[in-house]
Amino acid sequence: MHYLMEKLQKDHRNLEKILDLLELQLDHFLAGRESDFDLKIELLEYMEAYADQAHHPLENIMFTAAKSLADEQADLMDRLMQQHQELAQLTRTFRQSLENIFQGGVMPREELEVRGREFIALQRQHIALEEQEAFPLLDEVLQEQDWAAILEQSPNYDDPVFDKPDKIRFQTLFDYLSKAE
Ligand SMILES: [Fe+2]
């Protein structure tokens, strides 16, 4: 397996950690327990900063390359790239909802719950679809020269939490993680 695919899989494990944490925080809030809005917003900001700006663009380059090599799987590649756009939009609106509540805005608890649960479920389903159907296909059809071309186009962007920690931007998250250890 090419190391770029291993990197994407590692990203998925990290994203799952972030989603688990978000779900836990959402559960606390919905149960009327103390929950940390700064943390929830930072989790969403991380997804915007890394998943939407680095991880998904790299996958898009790979899916586009695979599409031309595996005609019968073009629909799957298109669907996943479409989901990247939809997920970016969902992440943005969910973060804005949280910011709004944090600033004293009123949103019915049920609405926040529906949005939050849907957001988390769609992110997880997307990761599962990529790993179960798309990644095996990429592994099969992409050859050495395709990987070289993909590498050339790949975005040069470090993960600001798990690779090159930006402890100022994600201060609440790092505080949380260091306490949890
Ligand atoms: Fe992915």
Side-chain angles (χ1 to χ4, degrees):
M1 186 184 286
H2 194 273
Y3 81 86
L4 276 182
M5 287 214 9
E6 285 172 2
K7 178 177 151 43
L8 291 176
Q9 281 178 336
K10 193 181 114 214
D11 288 347
H12 283 174
R13 300 294 80 77
N14 290 335
L15 281 167
E16 282 166 350
K17 280 185 212 153
I18 295 292
L19 290 168
D20 289 348
L21 193 47
L22 184 64
E23 187 172 42
L24 186 70
Q25 286 291 320
L26 191 64
D27 288 343
H28 285 331
F29 175 73
L30 292 167
R33 290 192 294 268
E34 196 185 323
S35 82
D36 186 336
F37 265 83
D38 279 340
L39 177 58
K40 285 197 278 293
I41 290 165
E42 277 185 22
L43 293 170
L44 274 289
E45 277 176 357
Y46 166 72
M47 298 192 73
E48 288 180 292
Y50 189 68
D52 294 335
Q53 296 200 37
H55 175 90
H56 291 161
L58 173 58
E59 286 173 336
N60 287 348
I61 295 166
M62 291 161 55
F63 294 161
T64 305
K67 212 176 128 175
S68 58
L69 299 167
D71 232 13
E72 68 288 0
Q73 297 291 339
D75 282 354
L76 173 65
M77 301 291 117
D78 284 336
R79 198 161 122 221
L80 289 168
M81 289 193 275
Q82 174 70 33
Q83 286 181 3
H84 286 165
Q85 287 183 24
E86 291 161 3
L87 290 174
Q89 181 65 44
L90 267 180
T91 310
R92 193 160 42 242
T93 43
F94 189 47
R95 174 180 49 79
Q96 285 164 351
S97 304
L98 290 172
E99 282 172 351
N100 192 275
I101 295 172
F102 189 46
Q103 286 155 11
V106 184
M107 178 188 278
R109 205 164 266 255
E110 299 74 42
E111 190 181 337
L112 181 78
E113 170 151 34
V114 169
R115 284 194 196 189
R117 304 251 182 252
E118 187 192 26
F119 174 81
I120 292 166
L122 288 174
Q123 292 279 359
R124 286 186 178 141
Q125 282 165 23
H126 175 74
I127 289 173
L129 182 60
E130 286 181 335
E131 298 221 351
Q132 283 159 20
E133 298 197 25
F135 287 7
L137 178 80
L138 298 179
D139 203 27
E140 192 188 314
V141 300
L142 296 174
Q143 306 298 319
E144 211 38 57
Q145 71 273 18
D146 304 312
W147 286 114
I150 289 165
L151 260 178
E152 249 172 52
Q153 298 171 65
S154 72
N156 188 6
Y157 196 103
D158 290 315
D159 183 324
V161 171
F162 296 101
D163 285 339
K164 233 184 178 185
D166 184 342
K167 294 200 169 170
I168 295 173
R169 184 172 182 193
F170 297 104
Q171 190 184 4
T172 314
L173 177 56
F174 282 109
D175 282 352
Y176 180 91
L177 293 175
S178 70
K179 272 187 225 134
E181 265 166 20

